[in-house]
Amino acid sequence: QQQVKQSPQSLIVQKGGISIINCAYENTAFDYFPWYQQFPGKGPALLIAIRPDVSEKKEGRFTISFNKSAKQFSLHIMDSQPGDSATYFCAASMSWSEKLVFGKGTKLTVNP
Amino acid sequence: GAGVSQSPSNKVTEKGKDVELRCDPISGHTALYWYRQSLGQGLEFLIYFQGNSAPDKSGLPSDRFSAERTGGSVSTLTIQRTQQEDSAVYLCASSPPGGETQYFGPGTRLLVL
C-alpha cells in the first residue's frame, strides 16, 4: 500500500517557468509534510516543510500548497532555473520525530 | 560542521556474502534512521533509533537485515546472506533533539552480483 502518491514521475520545464509537483496521502494521522531535493550521487536535503494547520508556506522561489480536506499537497517552484534540475521527493510523517513515508520522486529537468 | 557520513561509499559483493554498512551521525543528534532507495523507487524506511529507546524495526524487509547503534552514536546496518534484490542505495539520516529535519548522508551504493 503506497501511502504517499507523487506525480508526475518526470517533468521538463523551461528556464523561468513554474514547476509543479503533486502529492496525495491516505493516512489522516500524518502531520508533517516535508519536500526533499536530491542531486545525483548525493543524499536528499530538506527543501521546505509544512504542517496541516496552514494552507501555504513560501520560502524564496519554493511554495508548498496544502489541502487538508483533499489530502493533497504540492510544491511550486517559481522562476525555475537549470540549477533546480534534481529529483524531488515529497514525504509525510506522524510527528517530527518519526519515520518518513516518501513518494516515489519526480525528476525535474529545467532547460536553459 | 561535519554532516552525516557513511562508509563505504560503494560496495560490491557476491550473493550470499554478509555486508556491514556504517553511519556516523551528526554530533549531538539523538535520532538515527536508515532508509533504502532502489532504482526508480522512493526512499523506503528500514529502522529508527531514538536515544536509549528500543529501535523501531518495523521497516526491515527480512530477518537477514539487522542494525545496531553503539553508544548512542555510530550505527551499523548488517545484511546477511545478501541477495541480488538487496542492491540499492542505503541512506542514513539523523536529527537533533527536538528537531524535525532529518539530515541525510550521501549513502552507500550496494551492488550484489
Side-chain angles (χ1 to χ4, degrees), chain A residues 9 32 36 38 41-46 51 89 96-100 102-105, chain B residues 33 35 37 41-43 45 48 50 56 58 91 98-102 104-106 109:
Chain A
Q9 206 169 14
Y32 175 64
Y36 278 81
Q38 186 178 30
K42 305 290 186 181
L46 179 69
R51 294 194 176 279
F89 293 95
W96 54 263
S97 64
E98 290 291 325
K99 61 196 177 190
L100 290 169
F102 283 87
K104 292 193 174 184
Chain B
Y33 308 79
Y35 295 88
Q37 184 173 24
Q41 301 295 313
L43 283 78
F45 167 77
Y48 158 51
Q50 174 62 278
D56 177 353
S58 60
L91 290 157
E100 58 190 12
T101 302
Q102 293 185 25
F104 282 82
R109 286 151 191 78

Side-chain angles (χ1 to χ4, degrees), chain A residues 54-105:
Chain A
V54 296
S55 61
E56 187 175 281
K57 183 174 181 180
K58 183 177 180 179
E59 291 184 1
R61 297 184 294 109
F62 301 91
T63 299
I64 298 180
S65 297
F66 187 84
N67 186 329
K68 188 174 181 179
S69 61
K71 293 187 288 184
Q72 295 177 346
F73 58 111
S74 60
L75 175 69
H76 295 234
I77 305 174
M78 311 300 289
D79 186 26
S80 298
Q81 299 297 311
D84 297 331
S85 297
T87 299
Y88 293 81
F89 293 95
C90 63
S93 70
M94 282 181 271
S95 76
W96 54 263
S97 64
E98 290 291 325
K99 61 196 177 190
L100 290 169
V101 178
F102 283 87
K104 292 193 174 184

Side-chain angles (χ1 to χ4, degrees), chain A residues 8-22:
Chain A
Q9 206 169 14
S10 63
L11 180 62
I12 300 175
V13 173
Q14 291 300 116
K15 178 181 176 182
I18 302 174
S19 303
I20 302 175
I21 305 171
N22 300 298

